[in-house]
Amino acid sequence: MSNLQFDPEVSRQIESVYTTPDVIEQRRVVRIALALRPDDRVLDVGVGPGLLAAEMAEEVGPGGRICGIDISESMLTIAGARALVPGGAKIELELASAGRLPHGAESFDVVVSTQVLEYVEDVAGALAEIRRVLRPAGRIVVLDTDWDSIVWHSRDRDRMGRVLTAFEEHLENPRLPRTLGDLLGKAGFTVTHREVVPMLNAGFDPRTYSAGLIDIVAGFVPGRAKVTAPEAQAWADDLRSLGDAYFFSLNRYLFVASAL
């Protein structure tokens, strides 16, 4: 697993980032790809703060089932506050990893995993587990980032490069989308749809994905790739001072596949 610790502070930071318009739009795209129906049984691998799970619970209705797993107790605590959805399925939450799902074979119609597999060391093993718990012809929706796609303007390009290199250490697979289609095929899936999900923040706005990411990055990178704590703080201060010159872009990639 990655070196990023999803402790209470980081979990709260991530929840805040996930409530920005950028990530709300991302969830809308994911829900379209999921194409959920009433009474569907859904597993959310890496449920995080539970925002997507709550939206899915409403879509499947009281006759459906929404289960979420996460390796972070802090994340599960946050998600637990969203477990009861009026008119929707009650969200079932468990502490577990993607490589060892606590569910029986063919338990679900749909599995979704957003921004999770890039943190997993054994992606092939995780996909095998997902295939095991999916019914025949069940669907999987996966969304992950290729971190080489990031464009983040800074007045100090050398420092920016070192900060981004250091931040990649929080991931096991920072370029996972390049090989994900092949991994899905080998795990017993047929990919039916691929889509790029871009993020673009032009002009500094604290209510954007990238603005919320700044504190997470600045808290993680000191001591890595020769980035010092003062440098990390100077990097963060520089970005926040750019005003209209602020620019951030990042590509995420969505895969939809059916179990053979």
Side-chain angles (χ1 to χ4, degrees):
M1 299 302 293
S2 73
N3 292 314
L4 184 62
Q5 300 301 311
F6 292 92
D7 57 24
E9 180 181 358
V10 171
S11 296
R12 285 192 297 270
Q13 289 173 327
I14 290 174
E15 180 187 30
S16 179
V17 168
Y18 280 19
T19 62
T20 61
D22 300 311
V23 186
I24 291 171
E25 171 61 16
Q26 174 184 288
R27 284 198 300 276
R28 186 190 69 83
V29 173
V30 169
R31 293 201 323 275
I32 290 172
L34 285 166
L36 295 180
R37 297 163 294 194
D39 302 336
D40 270 346
R41 302 165 298 164
V42 187
L43 175 63
D44 190 345
V45 177
V47 68
L51 291 157
L52 176 61
E55 294 172 2
M56 295 191 299
E58 186 175 1
E59 290 188 349
V60 303
R65 185 184 185 197
I66 301 292
C67 297
I69 67 151
D70 209 286
I71 62 168
S72 167
E73 292 182 354
S74 299
M75 283 295 196
L76 291 173
T77 297
I78 294 172
R82 298 185 168 94
L84 296 177
V85 178
K90 183 180 184 298
I91 301 171
E92 305 168 36
L93 299 169
E94 291 188 78
L95 185 69
S97 71
R100 194 169 184 176
L101 301 176
H103 297 284
E106 301 182 11
S107 295
F108 298 98
D109 304 301
V110 183
V111 174
V112 60
S113 180
T114 61
Q115 293 301 113
V116 172
L117 292 184
E118 62 195 60
Y119 293 90
V120 175
E121 182 177 2
D122 183 9
V123 176
L127 290 175
E129 271 289 90
I130 290 171
R131 177 63 188 87
R132 179 183 65 80
V133 303
L134 265 177
R135 66 168 173 79
R139 305 186 307 285
I140 178 176
V141 175
V142 181
L143 180 82
D144 279 288
T145 301
D146 186 324
W147 286 88
D148 271 356
S149 70
I150 192 168
V151 178
W152 210 344
H153 175 55
S154 169
R155 294 185 179 95
D156 188 329
R157 293 183 63 184
D158 174 71
R159 184 178 62 202
M160 173 62 84
R162 287 186 292 111
V163 166
L164 293 179
T165 297
F167 190 57
E168 279 195 7
E169 293 186 23
H170 86 289
L171 299 160
E172 293 288 348
N173 302 282
R175 297 158 193 83
L176 178 60
R178 304 180 192 190
T179 57
L180 188 53
D182 182 56
L183 288 166
L184 284 163
K186 290 176 178 175
F189 294 95
T190 297
V191 176
T192 58
H193 178 72
R194 296 177 178 88
E195 180 178 351
V196 61
V197 182
M199 285 197 171
L200 175 64
N201 301 148
F204 185 78
D205 181 344
R207 288 288 301 162
T208 58
Y209 167 79
S210 63
L213 191 62
I214 291 172
D215 281 339
I216 296 173
V217 174
F220 179 82
V221 298
R224 306 171 191 272
K226 299 182 179 180
V227 178
T228 66
E231 280 186 305
Q233 186 59 55
W235 168 82
D237 292 343
D238 174 53
L239 293 183
R240 292 190 176 104
S241 72
L242 286 172
D244 290 342
Y246 183 89
F247 187 91
F248 171 92
S249 178
L250 182 71
N251 286 340
R252 288 175 170 166
Y253 297 87
L254 183 145
F255 291 73
V256 181
S258 296
L260 298 176

